[in-house]
Amino acid sequence: MTAMFKHFKGDLFGGITAGIVALPLALAFGVSSGLGPSAGLYGAIFISFFAALFGGTNTQISGPTAPMTAVSMVVIGGIVAINDGDIAKALPSILTIFLLAGIMQIGLGLMGLGKYIKYIPYPVVSGFMTAIGVIILVTQVLPAIGYYPKEDAQYVSRFMADAEEEILENILKEEAGEGILVLEDFEETIKRAEEITPADMQKEAETLAAKDASGVIGTLKVLPRALKSVNWLELALALATIFIIYGFKRVTTAVPSTLVALIIVSGIAFGFGLPYRPIEEIPSGLPIPNMEIFTEFKIGSITPYVFTALTLALLGAIDSLLTSVVADNMTQTKHKPNKELVGQGIGNSVAALFGGIPGAGATIRTVVNINSGGKTRLSGMVAGILLLVILLALGPVASQIPAAVLAGILVTVGIGVMDYKGLKAIPYLPKDIKLGPLKLSSEVIIMLAVMVLSSIWNLVYAVGIGLVFASLMFMKKMGDLTAKRSDVKPLSKEKAWADEKDFPKNLTEEVFIKHVKGPLFFGSTSEFQQLADQIPNTASTVIIRMGRMQYMDQTGLYAMEDVLQDLKNRDVYVLLVEILDQPRYMMERIDIIPDLIPKEHIFEDFKSCMNWINLNVKDTFPA
């Protein structure tokens, strides 16, 4: 505890500065998520405080981030849609999923999986981050020009017929859940259908309209219509915000340009009494836990989103640990990855209980904290406390911020989050896949596939597909490399190693030597299985040199067993030379050693193996 306050002054300034930088972003991410600015602010408060308190990176500032918000949008949009567009009704299920993601993060840390997160392939991360930028940029076009599909009466009217069908379908689902036998009690169904009011129809149609115009595809579909009714005041506010954010950075970076833009543009709009659209009202007073998470919990409503919760947990882990590496490089320290995941999980869990959106370690805010003097976990806690003070003292004032200002802020976030390094590298990456006459780069294919699928389809599934494809490509490359290095070709053409130069020439027809170089795993077993077929009938003994085979998985183990069994059936002696610990352990587990290979046929070096050969192998084909 004393060490925490050793650098109090630096931590205080670092935390205050990081909290100020976090404020506009928290509000913007909250609005973008669909839960409102208060959800973003609550997320920033609790994640920043608890992730700092329990995490493993002293200088990290955590809170809502663009990737976490983009995935949260998918969760929120999907659950709100199946709850008749009623956010209050959908909120318990939404927050339960966020809570589940936080608990999963804690589990990842406790299981010690933090050190493995870094193995996520770069093309997947690059494609995902660029897609996040595209999603944020495109989806902020409509609020930036002041167009809201739910408020377009003519557009909403298109969905009135679908709205009636949707309401009737929901009635049938409710009756099924209540145990009402619809065929026997059809009068109850008719009674409920007759109670549908024009207001219910209008509300459902607005929900369907908003859903139809959501996401990248929905925005592009409705954009021509939106451009016919641009609110020029809203557009001017958004453009002014963007201009100040980029312009002020050229003047100085000592003061966060995002905050400057927020204050200036909001101050002008409010001070001159302009008829702008404000953000949703931010509740005043202390945040209150949402106990409906427990009282209204329905397992069926979140089961389809368990994989999404896991994606949030993994994405938050990746985001946080990458930021931890940045912090390490700046402070010459070393973070504790598993402890960091536990801290992030606790922060996200607490934020979910209070109605906040999930988040992760935020690179820009962490850099600002370090540059402003932050050195210990106290700085992150100060940032969270500052945001709580702002909520309590300035909640009503913050509620007057124009929605277009936050849209402008998010446009700059979308531009900044794209992975330009990965995009610039596309022309220069090696082309290692042949599709007919075309030669393509597997890394580029993965990157573009994840980017496109994430942008127009589903973030969660796109990442899963990218990971599977990247894993398959890696396995193929490793298998090809292992096969090439292991000399999978006629044994007579294998190059002799240095200690094999003096091998008796009169025994070359009786004894064959096989070099295995590299791991024997599921990506390389098909080539290894050719070994038995390569050995002619003249051979009585095969030497398998395993000193360079560091690893064997279960598939490789059974491939080895099949080859050895085949050779044994042909009365061929097999001698293993320089077998390493892990392969030997695997072979002993299923009794390959000693059932197929007796221990006297295992040699520590090639010299002792040759002694056995000289004593036991006779020249059966003398010249």
Side-chain angles (χ1 to χ4, degrees), residues 11 86 174 193 209 239 296 405 428 442 515 525:
D11 289 334
D86 189 339
E174 287 177 9
L239 291 176
E296 300 294 326
V405 170
Y428 308 105
S442 58
H515 305 135
T525 53

Side-chain angles (χ1 to χ4, degrees), residues 22 102 257 314 399 456 524:
S257 62
L314 291 172
S399 297
I456 66 175
S524 62

Side-chain angles (χ1 to χ4, degrees), residues 174-221:
E174 287 177 9
E175 290 180 345
E178 294 167 6
I180 297 174
L181 297 176
V182 179
L183 294 177
E184 296 180 7
D185 198 2
F186 201 63
E187 292 181 2
E188 177 66 22
T189 305
I190 295 173
K191 181 182 177 181
R192 293 190 182 188
E194 289 175 347
E195 292 175 354
I196 299 173
T197 64
D200 294 330
M201 296 274 289
Q202 179 68 23
K203 183 179 178 181
E204 185 64 34
E206 289 175 358
T207 300
L208 293 175
K211 183 180 179 181
D212 187 65
S214 65
V216 172
I217 297 297
T219 300
L220 294 177
K221 184 165 53 176

Side-chain angles (χ1 to χ4, degrees), residues 227-435:
L227 291 175
K228 295 177 182 178
S229 54
V230 174
N231 185 317
W232 296 105
L233 173 60
E234 299 291 312
L235 178 59
L237 293 175
L239 291 176
T241 302
I242 296 170
F243 176 78
I244 292 174
I245 288 174
Y246 286 122
F248 194 79
K249 286 180 181 179
R250 295 179 177 273
V251 178
T252 179
T253 56
V255 181
S257 62
T258 304
L259 183 67
V260 172
L262 177 71
I263 293 173
I264 291 176
V265 180
S266 299
I268 292 174
F270 181 78
F272 284 91
L274 301 180
Y276 65 86
R277 181 191 187 98
I279 61 175
E280 296 176 27
E281 184 177 352
I282 299 174
S284 57
L286 289 168
I288 300 173
N290 191 315
M291 302 312 294
E292 290 183 353
I293 292 179
F294 306 105
T295 59
E296 300 294 326
F297 174 75
K298 295 179 182 178
I299 188 67
S301 63
I302 70 163
T303 301
Y305 294 93
V306 170
F307 182 64
T308 305
L310 178 60
T311 301
L312 272 171
L314 291 172
L315 178 60
I318 296 168
D319 212 356
S320 300
L321 295 181
L322 287 176
T323 303
S324 296
V325 172
V326 173
D328 285 350
N329 291 336
M330 292 183 68
T331 60
Q332 302 302 309
T333 57
K334 189 170 179 62
H335 72 281
K336 299 175 182 177
N338 294 318
K339 188 177 180 183
E340 181 61 36
L341 292 190
V342 172
Q344 292 292 332
I346 292 173
N348 278 312
S349 299
V350 176
L353 290 173
F354 284 88
I357 59 174
T363 305
I364 294 175
R365 279 160 267 178
T366 299
V367 171
V368 167
N369 175 44
I370 294 170
N371 288 337
S372 301
K375 292 185 181 298
T376 74
R377 62 185 70 249
L378 183 63
S379 57
M381 297 163 68
V382 167
I385 293 170
L386 175 69
L387 292 171
L388 178 61
V389 171
I390 292 173
L391 169 68
L392 297 176
L394 301 176
V397 175
S399 297
Q400 301 303 314
I401 295 172
V405 170
L406 296 187
I409 291 173
L410 285 170
V411 166
T412 63
V413 171
I415 293 172
V417 81
M418 290 185 184
D419 182 35
Y420 298 102
K421 179 181 178 181
L423 293 173
K424 289 178 181 177
I426 287 177
Y428 308 105
L429 292 173
K431 296 176 175 59
D432 52 359
I433 293 181
K434 285 193 70 175
L435 294 176

Side-chain angles (χ1 to χ4, degrees), residues 418-482:
M418 290 185 184
D419 182 35
Y420 298 102
K421 179 181 178 181
L423 293 173
K424 289 178 181 177
I426 287 177
Y428 308 105
L429 292 173
K431 296 176 175 59
D432 52 359
I433 293 181
K434 285 193 70 175
L435 294 176
L438 295 176
K439 290 192 72 176
L440 304 170
S441 167
S442 58
E443 281 83 1
V444 171
I445 293 174
I446 294 168
M447 185 190 305
L448 295 180
V450 172
M451 183 182 72
V452 173
L453 292 176
S454 296
S455 301
I456 66 175
W457 181 41
N458 186 295
L459 281 164
V460 178
Y461 295 156
V463 170
I465 290 171
L467 286 173
V468 170
F469 187 52
S471 300
L472 291 173
M473 292 307 303
F474 173 77
M475 287 183 278
K476 182 182 183 304
K477 289 178 181 178
M478 290 299 99
D480 292 346
L481 180 61
T482 302

Side-chain angles (χ1 to χ4, degrees), residues 33-97:
S33 73
L35 289 187
S38 58
L41 201 50
Y42 293 162
I45 291 168
F46 292 107
I47 298 171
S48 179
F49 185 88
F50 286 100
L53 179 61
F54 295 105
T57 312
N58 286 340
T59 53
Q60 181 139 285
I61 304 295
S62 302
T65 61
M68 294 294 278
T69 302
V71 178
S72 299
M73 287 167 55
V74 176
V75 177
I76 295 165
I79 296 180
V80 168
I82 63 176
N83 282 276
D84 308 321
D86 189 339
I87 290 182
K89 185 177 177 183
L91 192 60
S93 295
I94 293 169
L95 297 182
T96 301
I97 293 166

